[in-house]
Amino acid sequence: MSADTLALGAADERAVRRVRRALGPVEVVGSRVLTGGLYNCVQLLELADGRSVVLKSAPEAHAPALTHEQGLLGTETLFHRLAAARGVAVPSVLHHEPAGLDDSGEWLLLDYLEGSAWSETRADLPADRQAALRYSLGEALARTAAVTGTRFGYPQPVPGLQGRTWREAFTGMMHAVLDDASRFDVPLPAADTLTALPDRFARALDEVNRPALVHFDAWDGNVVLTRDANGTWQFGGLIDGERAFFGDPLAELVGLDPLDAAEDDPDLMAGYRSVEPGLQTHTEAARVRLALYRIYLALIMRVESVPRAYGPDHAGRLRSWSDERIPQQLTLLRRFGG
């Protein structure tokens, strides 16, 4: 995320109240609004003792949202704690407050992960550094996927979004976003074929037998880079784990970048397999599941543009992209029957 700088001391009263609830009688001396996120309000707060913390505030409970977008900061809290326990660099959780215990909804306070978003530095990185960073990212995601949940699906107790099997959970997740499309009156390409996809490809989904932790949004805007003593950019950590769920590790590859096929990136996959050598990406079942997850992510990105009230340009780009992406993946799936 990038930061829009405000004058020191411009932190609002609610932010100060929340920081003090979490940390005690600290003094907030500066505030910056972090841009780049599309759901929560995010502020970087500077404290008199030299620390910097990030306050994430969710929309009010009555704000329009997709079905799975409930308790997202609780999901982020869980992701950071579980990933940190596996040695993945993530912001430390200082405090999480569920909705209903404060004046205006759920919030989360994190340590600030120093560095710059990979998306902001990519143009200045030589090819060999890009390759090394992709290797490090693959390692981190494999360590994240080593976390095993108690059930499949989203962590928050939203009816229909969990299951004893991955097929059951993913079916609920897919049907929920299709119901959201109807609720928000979002037209979809090939809508009549989408509902049946999990049943058509049940055999491929049933190959997944462990609920692995999946960030599902680890594109380069959510990857932090830091400089070492020589000024060389290094992998610094992951942020924004609010989309996380427990499911197929392959789904992580889809969340890396909606426009690329991460499974064909030799550097990223080498890093991943240095930790988890057994991940299969090019079997028929794996290719089926990757196509299903690409459709699912495209649906989320298209449908969320309505409740989040994206501007016409951004919404139009998502609509055009999904109009191409979804039929493309359906064509691939038709090659495998089902």
Side-chain angles (χ1 to χ4, degrees):
M1 292 184 179
S2 61
D4 294 334
T5 305
L6 305 178
L8 290 180
D12 61 77
E13 292 182 4
R14 187 181 71 176
V16 172
R17 186 169 63 251
R18 289 179 168 180
V19 171
R20 288 178 176 168
R21 179 179 176 90
L23 302 181
V26 297
E27 181 182 359
V28 179
V29 297
S31 170
R32 288 181 287 171
V33 176
L34 297 178
T35 60
L38 298 172
Y39 187 74
N40 300 299
C41 172
V42 187
Q43 295 168 274
L44 176 62
L45 303 172
E46 300 169 10
L47 308 184
D49 61 13
R51 286 181 293 171
S52 296
V53 296
V54 173
L55 176 65
K56 304 187 75 169
S57 301
E60 295 183 0
H62 64 268
L66 302 190
T67 299
H68 75 274
E69 293 179 325
Q70 299 182 44
L72 291 186
L73 294 181
T75 295
E76 183 163 354
T77 298
L78 179 66
F79 176 85
H80 288 331
R81 287 174 172 163
L82 292 175
R86 289 287 179 170
V88 180
V90 291
S92 297
V93 175
L94 301 176
H95 187 83
H96 170 243
E97 194 83 42
L101 299 181
D102 190 42
D103 54 5
S104 55
E106 183 183 28
W107 57 277
L108 171 63
L109 191 69
L110 302 164
D111 270 336
Y112 178 56
L113 198 61
E114 294 283 353
S116 299
W118 191 348
S119 57
E120 297 173 356
T121 61
R122 182 176 290 278
D124 300 325
L125 294 169
D128 61 339
R129 182 83 322 242
Q130 296 268 17
L133 291 168
R134 292 197 303 272
Y135 186 99
S136 296
L137 176 59
E139 288 180 309
L141 295 175
R143 288 197 294 270
T144 297
V147 176
T148 301
T150 58
R151 59 182 176 177
F152 290 95
Y154 285 103
Q156 302 306 315
V158 182
L161 298 186
Q162 301 85 33
R164 291 176 294 103
T165 66
W166 177 229
R167 189 212 313 186
E168 179 185 358
F170 182 72
T171 299
M173 292 159 63
M174 175 74 86
H175 288 179
V177 74
L178 292 172
D179 289 344
D180 290 333
S182 297
R183 181 160 55 98
F184 291 114
D185 197 25
V186 179
L188 298 175
D192 56 335
T193 68
L194 297 175
T195 301
L197 288 178
D199 284 340
R200 283 179 56 200
F201 297 100
R203 184 177 300 176
L205 292 170
D206 284 341
E207 286 195 2
V208 181
N209 55 24
R210 183 179 68 87
L213 181 62
V214 177
H215 184 289
F216 204 52
D217 199 19
W219 68 292
D220 56 12
N222 286 335
V223 178
V224 175
L225 305 184
T226 57
R227 290 189 185 273
D228 64 15
N230 297 318
T232 303
W233 287 109
Q234 304 288 344
F235 175 80
L238 292 171
I239 60 173
D240 289 355
E242 63 191 32
R243 284 189 189 264
F245 56 74
F246 293 100
D248 186 353
L250 275 181
E252 194 72 90
L253 304 181
V254 173
L256 289 174
D257 189 333
L259 301 179
D260 291 337
E263 67 271 20
D264 295 328
D265 183 325
D267 301 304
L268 185 135
M269 294 310 306
Y272 195 106
R273 290 188 172 117
S274 72
V275 177
E276 176 45 70
L279 185 71
Q280 298 296 314
T281 59
H282 287 83
T283 65
E284 180 174 316
R287 292 173 67 190
V288 164
R289 297 201 305 275
L290 285 166
L292 291 175
Y293 308 150
R294 289 192 164 107
I295 290 172
Y296 177 64
L297 182 57
L299 289 171
I300 289 175
M301 295 176 68
R302 182 182 180 117
V303 178
E304 73 182 12
S305 65
V306 175
R308 296 190 184 186
Y310 293 160
D313 290 343
H314 186 48
R317 286 193 296 271
L318 288 176
R319 184 168 57 252
S320 296
W321 171 74
S322 59
D323 277 344
E324 296 179 1
R325 184 71 155 181
I326 293 172
Q328 174 193 66
Q329 299 303 309
L330 288 173
T331 297
L332 188 153
L333 287 173
R334 279 194 289 272
R335 298 175 189 171
F336 299 113

